[in-house]
Amino acid sequence: MSAFDSNNNYIVYNVGIYLRLSKEDENTGQSESIENQRKIVENFISNYNWNIVEIYIDDGFSGLNFNRPAFKRMLEDIENKKINLVITKDLSRLGRDYIYTGYYLERYFPTKNIRYIAISDGIDTYGDNGNNDISPFKSVINDMYAKDISKKIRAVMDTKRLNGEFIGAFAPYGYLKDPNNRNTFIIDDKASKVVKRIFDMYIEGNSMGRIVKILNDENIPCPSKYKSTHCSYKNAMVKRYKWCQETVKRILSNPTYIGNMTQHRQEKISYKIDKFRKIPCSNWITVEGTHEPIISPEIFETVQNLIKRQTVKYSRGKESFHLLNGLVFCKECGRKMTYRRDSSGKMIMNCITYTKFGKSECTSHRIREELLTDYVINDLKRISKQYLDNGFFQSISELETCEDKSLKSELRTIEKRFEEIKNIVKSLYEDKIKGTISEEDFLCMTKEYSEEKSRLQNKMETINDRLNEKTREFSYIKLLKDIAEFNIVNKVILLQLIDRIEVDSNRKITVYYMFTNPQIDNTD
């Protein structure tokens, strides 16, 4: 395999040996190991009078990624004319992406006068070689192999996610990986306090931007910075990292903090590209009750409602808390009412459309915040008082006691029958093993019990659905009782009771509740 140039001069080959092994290739055994690749290539070269200049090794790098340190160093040596022959064990060691592999094989190497040899595939770009003609097909096959491996890995990862097993490298901020089970979490005492504080600050009326400013002003390390100082996480940019609104929003919207393992919140755009896209929350994989919660479900749900309503802090300068923020809308145009202070320092609300565009788009709906807040609270108290005066809570409690007792009694009966069926089937199986009953009789009888279990299961689900429905029905009544008992109304309660509040051009207030409102005159 001696070579001559166009002037019939003998070519001295300076060889660059390229070796690559990915994590997936490790599963194929010794045949793809770095040491085995080295032996094959060196044995091949020993038959020729070639100079080995450098051995380039990328261990643990995917063939789909050409941004490999040793590969890039080899390209630099090609540019500096240190090597003019590249040898690999086979074409897949060079790469598995058929587009990039084809580029280097058919464009880059010829342009740089580089000879390329893939030993096992019989590819040699010097001279006519029939195997060179099928190299594009081999590249496609290598690419398909990588795609198939990617699908299999993804399927395994999805199975782990569905089983509630954490598959990430690092636990979410606020948690640590459990040393006794790396697929679940334990609470990080220090970081979890910051998580709780973020939720508290948001419920108290602070915008995400305001929360970011508070955390940065207090020099509280952001999750990336914190991670770099408490585990093996490394990032060259970490010194410049600060809290940002996206980080705060990601924490506020993560169900992991209520004890539910939530994964698949983003995915790779392609098995060839190390870029990710966000997944809609409806497609997240969530398994409930996998670890200790940091935030209560009630607080989390309240925060999600606040985020959906896109409540913001409108006041500037002097800080204030808006109890009805995100709930008040213009009756005419449907846009939100915004806050500002008048000349006397009082906080007023007005239609945001009118504020921005004037009377050509909408009319003034100016109303004092204090007046609107008092109206809503008094309206809720009137509703609660009406229910109390009519003995509503007492009648509801009696109905709850009567129906609940019946449902729970029926549920206990079903559970008892479930246990009986379990013991019967176990006994039948033992009889079959002893030969007391035949296989045919065993299958016939167990089939009947299986059908009975299915019917009982359906009945149990119906009862549980009814009990859950009753729990939801009575939750609104409990909230109304809370309002009647306290002079200061909690925003958490208001968000669960009120759907929206509308103010028309005549300053008439209409409150739309999450429950059926009794017949009360709702005018000023």
Side-chain angles (χ1 to χ4, degrees), residues 30 42 61 88 116 151 156 189 221-222 264 276 298 308 331 334 391 416 439-440 451 462 476 481 507-508 512 522:
Q30 181 64 23
E42 288 179 342
F61 288 86
T88 61
Y116 172 71
K151 285 183 178 179
V156 171
D189 291 335
C222 70
H264 196 234
F276 294 82
E298 293 77 17
K308 287 178 184 176
K331 176 75 172 179
K416 182 179 178 181
E439 177 78 18
E440 183 180 354
E451 291 172 351
T462 301
Y476 290 124
K481 289 178 70 176
R507 282 70 170 176
K508 178 183 176 182
Y512 296 91
N522 204 33

Side-chain angles (χ1 to χ4, degrees), residues 34-271:
I34 291 293
E35 188 58 33
N36 189 62
Q37 292 179 50
R38 186 200 302 266
K39 288 179 181 178
I40 291 173
V41 177
E42 288 179 342
N43 288 339
F44 177 82
I45 293 174
S46 66
N47 298 317
Y48 306 97
N49 188 27
W50 295 339
N51 302 320
I52 299 178
V53 175
E54 185 68 71
I55 299 177
Y56 308 92
I57 302 174
D58 280 319
D59 195 351
F61 288 86
S62 169
L64 295 171
N65 174 19
F66 280 80
N67 188 29
R68 314 171 211 141
F71 185 81
K72 291 168 68 176
R73 186 161 52 87
M74 183 179 73
L75 295 181
E76 290 177 3
D77 288 347
I78 289 174
E79 295 292 336
N80 295 326
K81 302 187 184 303
K82 291 183 179 180
I83 59 175
N84 57 1
L85 172 57
V86 174
I87 303 178
T88 61
K89 171 184 170 288
D90 55 49
L91 187 59
S92 68
R93 297 307 93 199
L94 184 68
R96 290 192 181 277
D97 185 315
Y98 74 93
I99 295 175
Y100 282 102
T101 303
Y103 163 75
Y104 285 106
L105 204 61
E106 299 183 19
R107 290 181 178 270
Y108 183 79
F109 288 161
T111 301
K112 301 297 179 179
N113 293 318
I114 299 297
R115 181 178 178 181
Y116 172 71
I117 297 175
I119 299 170
S120 299
D121 293 323
I123 295 173
D124 185 347
T125 59
Y126 176 76
D128 293 330
N129 184 341
N131 288 325
N132 294 344
D133 296 334
I134 65 171
S135 61
F137 298 100
K138 287 184 176 291
S139 294
V140 171
I141 291 172
N142 289 332
D143 196 309
M144 291 176 65
Y145 172 81
K147 184 177 183 179
D148 183 59
I149 289 293
S150 176
K151 285 183 178 179
K152 289 177 179 177
I153 291 174
R154 185 173 297 182
V156 171
M157 294 297 101
D158 282 347
T159 299
K160 286 180 173 290
R161 292 186 184 107
L162 290 169
N163 289 333
E165 299 177 50
F166 181 67
I167 62 172
F170 302 98
Y173 181 71
Y175 286 105
L176 299 170
K177 281 190 174 183
D178 187 338
N180 299 318
N181 180 0
R182 306 296 290 176
N183 296 122
T184 190
F185 307 137
I186 56 174
I187 289 179
D188 181 335
D189 291 335
K190 187 175 181 179
S192 64
K193 291 177 181 177
V194 180
V195 172
K196 289 178 181 177
R197 187 181 174 197
I198 289 172
F199 276 84
D200 290 342
M201 285 193 290
Y202 194 70
I203 285 180
E204 288 167 2
N206 293 284
S207 67
M208 293 184 193
R210 174 66 179 163
I211 293 172
V212 167
K213 186 176 187 307
I214 291 171
L215 296 174
N216 283 329
D217 287 348
E218 295 180 10
N219 293 318
I220 296 174
C222 70
S224 297
K225 180 70 174 178
Y226 183 81
K227 190 162 53 177
S228 72
T229 57
H230 288 75
C231 58
S232 59
Y233 178 80
K234 300 295 179 185
N235 191 305
M237 298 289 289
V238 76
K239 292 181 179 179
R240 296 169 56 187
Y241 281 175
K242 293 285 187 180
W243 284 93
C244 64
Q245 290 194 39
E246 181 63 27
T247 301
V248 170
K249 185 175 182 180
R250 191 160 55 242
I251 289 173
L252 290 172
S253 61
N254 192 349
T256 297
Y257 294 117
I258 59 174
N260 300 337
M261 187 68 74
T262 304
Q263 301 180 92
H264 196 234
R265 299 179 73 187
Q266 61 179 16
E267 66 179 1
K268 288 184 71 173
I269 294 175
S270 167
Y271 67 99

Side-chain angles (χ1 to χ4, degrees), residues 408-435:
K408 290 175 181 177
S409 175
E410 188 175 358
L411 197 59
R412 286 192 295 271
T413 301
I414 292 174
E415 290 171 347
K416 182 179 178 181
R417 180 57 180 164
F418 255 95
E419 192 63 29
E420 290 175 354
I421 292 175
K422 180 180 176 182
N423 293 330
I424 291 171
V425 172
K426 181 180 178 182
S427 178
L428 287 173
Y429 179 75
E430 292 173 350
D431 288 343
K432 188 198 76 166
I433 296 298
K434 294 175 183 178

